[in-house]
Amino acid sequence: MGLGGALGAVLTAYALRDLKLSPGELGLALTVGNCGALLGATVSSRLIRTAGLGPVLIAAKSMSGTAVIILATADPARAVPTLIATTGIMACGITVYNIGQVSLRQAITPTGMQARMNASVRFAIWGTLPIGALAGGYLGSALGTRPTLWLIAAIGLLSCLPLVLTKDVRTLREFPAQAAE
């Protein structure tokens, strides 16, 4: 969904201009925060076993939008810890979500079709990143970085609705049996 591209286009300007971080502080905050991906990779299978695949997918998908809300409320006095926390929340959520959804797609797709399915999904997802970056950059210039972050957060949270409203996802507890060849 291009939101990663939009956030990427706005985040550096927001951190350096609005939050008054130095490039070194920004780099440090992003480095430490992105360790959240390691946490997500470590806990994802345990979370899925405990809470169920569907609920974990929904919760993990909502973490990015929630983190961007926190980021949009940041002030310069707490910028570094806020950026570390929000980057960590996003990285953890994205990792847990990707592990769950890729594993689910592989479980329901016949082995002979998995390469095509993965290529199609990657094209659809990664193909939107440049569009999101263009939109994020334009909106960041036109509206300002903070209002653009609020918009990114809202769209990110709205993107969870299809998962929440789909009973088959919402109630999915474990991975389905491997698809027939």
Side-chain angles (χ1 to χ4, degrees):
M1 244 181 67
L3 290 178
L7 182 60
V10 174
L11 180 60
T12 300
Y14 176 69
L16 298 178
R17 286 191 218 151
D18 297 358
L19 298 181
K20 312 292 188 220
L21 293 179
S22 71
E25 290 170 322
L26 173 59
L28 176 64
L30 293 176
T31 298
V32 174
N34 273 303
C35 291
L38 299 173
L39 175 64
T42 303
V43 302
S44 64
S45 63
R46 192 170 320 139
L47 286 172
I48 291 168
R49 277 194 312 273
T50 303
L53 179 58
V56 167
L57 287 173
I58 293 167
K61 180 87 170 141
S62 70
M63 288 172 72
S64 289
T66 303
V68 177
I69 289 172
I70 297 167
L71 182 60
T73 64
D75 66 59
R78 295 186 311 268
V80 171
T82 301
L83 191 54
I84 289 171
T86 56
T87 302
I89 291 167
M90 283 187 272
C92 182
I94 289 167
T95 302
V96 170
Y97 180 77
N98 282 338
I99 288 170
Q101 63 92 8
V102 169
S103 299
L104 176 60
R105 284 191 286 119
Q106 289 175 340
I108 64 175
T109 303
T111 303
M113 295 296 295
Q114 285 188 9
R116 290 183 188 134
M117 175 270 303
N118 278 318
S120 298
V121 170
R122 285 178 184 230
F123 175 78
I125 293 172
W126 292 359
T128 63
L129 291 175
I131 297 165
L134 180 64
Y138 173 77
L139 291 170
S141 294
L143 304 176
T145 55
R146 199 176 297 259
T148 301
L149 288 174
W150 283 106
L151 185 59
I152 291 168
I155 294 169
L157 289 173
L158 286 173
S159 74
C160 299
L161 280 180
L163 297 176
V164 171
L165 297 175
T166 304
K167 184 181 179 197
D168 288 343
V169 173
R170 203 175 50 242
T171 60
L172 185 60
R173 303 305 298 165
E174 54 192 41
F175 292 98
Q178 182 70 34
E181 295 300 314

